[in-house]
Amino acid sequence: MNDIGVREAAGGAAAAHEVDVVVIGAGQAGLSGAYHLRRTGLEPGRDFVVLDHAPRPGGAWQFRWPSLTYGKVHGMHALPGMELTGADPTRASSEVIGEYFTAYEDRFDLRVRRPVNVDAVREGDGGRLLVETSAGSWTTRALINATGTWDRPFWPRYPGQETFRGRQLHTAVYPGPEAFAGQRVIVVGGGASGTQHLMEIAPLAAETTWVTRRPPVFREGPFDENWGRSAVAMVEERVRRGLPPRSVVSVTGLPVNDAIREARATGVLDRLPMFDRVTPTGVAWDDGRRVDADVILWATGFRAAIDHLAPLRLREPGGGIRMEGTRAAADPRVHLVGYGPSASTIGANRAGRAAVRDIQRLLSGARAVV
């Protein structure tokens, strides 16, 4: 059983692997955490394990649509300890970042176990957490949860949605612009994905309509590291209060580039306020306006994939998990990275380091520096 310690579970029916730290998820946040765990001297496979449900390296990037090239990626920051250099901006981001994550896992010998689905994390014996998975169970002294949001696409509900006779789909399964050729398409959502979809689809579609809950905020200037840190800080207040986190993108605004300028000038990014209901042939507003469509594309974002933590009862009355840095306020053994203020590539890097620094103190009982 490799070099992971094993103990008999209650009743002797099953064996549970014993480690000091379990990392759930091998996207940007999880790999950052694993890198810093290794830097502290913990050994992958013996002292900690990284569990990932995806079929291959690349985190959520491996599931991105083919037309999202690396050159279109919004604010990708390198993983700690290894730069991503010389990438072809015309290649699909899923390929570029998938290869980068593969090389990263190999260089630092992180020994990610996949595909492993984590079913539940609950209280174990002797002050340990019990992590139940499709590949068996682990007991651990600390947990880094880095499951991101890709597995929980958010579908808002509107009256009449089930009556629409056309096609409805979410960004999570966006197939690329060719699938919408000659069709009337409504794109719902004011984030980066919504604008990218619109700009790709518009030249091929018969007609596009953009609908958002709030007027989009376009921002000139570079999205550099300082701006990224500022945006992360803006999100922290919600999770400190135990409220569900907003995305970092929601506070950064949309970066303006030449493609955005052209789309605004040609009317592709002229938006309408959110409709009041869906009809069999499209959408309608209470003021009498109607738009017919063949497709409604919901670019409405994602929610944190943390249902497996439900047995620990970490959620606050406000619906979120109250955080103290990366640590769940209700359980100092549990760290959430890639959640709330760390749900960006730069935020995930910093959160991985902060979580491991805190876990070192938990494991050793002494202050340590990562």
Side-chain angles (χ1 to χ4, degrees):
M1 296 189 184
N2 300 327
D3 48 1
I4 300 177
V6 175
R7 70 170 179 83
E8 290 298 316
H17 307 285
E18 274 192 6
V19 291
D20 287 329
V21 187
V22 169
V23 180
I24 306 176
Q28 184 101 12
L31 292 182
S32 173
Y35 167 85
H36 287 293
L37 286 170
R38 193 162 176 75
R39 283 194 68 197
T40 68
L42 297 182
E43 180 71 19
R46 184 192 68 194
D47 304 314
F48 74 91
V49 65
V50 184
L51 309 175
D52 189 36
H53 83 106
R56 55 191 177 275
W61 292 101
Q62 66 193 271
F63 305 113
R64 297 292 203 265
W65 49 98
S67 55
L68 180 62
T69 60
Y70 183 64
K72 295 178 182 176
V73 168
H74 174 203
M76 171 67 194
H77 289 267
L79 286 159
M82 178 176 161
E83 292 295 321
L84 198 176
T85 59
D88 181 350
T90 67
R91 288 187 68 202
S93 61
S94 57
E95 297 176 1
V96 171
I97 298 173
E99 292 172 4
Y100 171 53
F101 280 22
T102 298
Y104 190 88
E105 291 181 17
D106 290 343
R107 175 179 288 188
F108 298 107
D109 190 27
L110 298 179
R111 307 181 208 175
V112 178
R113 296 187 58 142
R114 60 167 63 87
V116 176
N117 295 318
V118 175
D119 301 315
V121 180
R122 62 182 78 253
E123 191 64 47
D125 298 329
R128 286 177 165 266
L129 296 167
L130 177 64
V131 182
E132 299 173 345
T133 85
S134 60
S137 296
W138 276 262
T139 68
T140 182
R141 297 170 65 190
L143 178 78
I144 295 178
N145 190 82
T147 46
T149 63
W150 187 259
D151 295 323
R152 284 200 61 201
F154 174 63
W155 290 74
R157 304 305 303 171
Y158 283 87
Q161 206 162 346
E162 70 286 351
T163 70
F164 182 60
R165 294 197 291 262
R167 181 164 55 122
Q168 298 186 64
L169 69 159
H170 190 276
T171 290
V173 293
Y174 174 70
E178 293 79 9
F180 305 93
Q183 298 183 313
R184 300 164 298 173
V185 183
I186 296 172
V187 177
V188 183
S193 296
T195 57
Q196 289 173 4
H197 296 339
L198 272 165
M199 291 188 292
E200 289 186 346
I201 293 169
L204 302 176
E207 178 181 289
T208 59
T209 303
W210 189 26
V211 179
T212 70
R213 283 195 303 132
R214 292 182 295 271
V217 176
F218 294 96
R219 181 180 179 275
E220 297 276 358
F223 277 67
D224 57 18
E225 189 167 322
N226 289 334
W227 176 253
R229 288 195 175 110
S230 175
V232 167
M234 295 179 202
V235 182
E236 286 180 337
E237 180 57 29
R238 285 183 63 83
V239 296
R240 284 197 197 102
R241 292 187 285 137
L243 298 174
R246 292 176 59 194
S247 69
V248 173
V249 171
S250 72
V251 297
T252 64
L254 296 165
V256 174
N257 54 30
D258 290 342
I260 291 281
R261 292 186 187 94
E262 181 180 353
R264 295 177 74 182
T266 58
V268 171
L269 293 181
D270 289 346
R271 55 83 65 172
L272 295 176
M274 198 64 205
F275 48 76
D276 296 296
R277 61 191 178 279
V278 179
T279 71
T281 60
V283 298
W285 289 259
D286 287 344
D287 63 7
R289 183 187 308 176
R290 303 175 69 90
V291 171
D292 289 336
D294 303 298
V295 181
I296 301 175
L297 174 56
W298 298 89
T300 44
F302 300 79
R303 297 294 183 263
I306 52 176
D307 288 349
H308 55 285
L309 301 179
L312 297 178
R313 301 182 182 275
L314 301 177
R315 288 190 186 271
E316 298 288 328
I321 297 177
R322 187 164 64 86
M323 304 292 294
E324 296 173 352
T326 63
R327 183 177 63 250
D331 193 327
R333 299 168 297 179
V334 178
H335 288 258
L336 277 70
V337 296
Y339 175 85
S342 60
S344 67
T345 56
I346 185 173
N349 281 357
R350 297 175 66 215
R353 177 172 179 165
V356 172
R357 183 182 287 132
D358 216 353
I359 286 170
Q360 265 197 290
R361 297 177 188 134
L362 178 72
L363 297 181
S364 68
R367 188 176 183 87
V369 176
V370 178

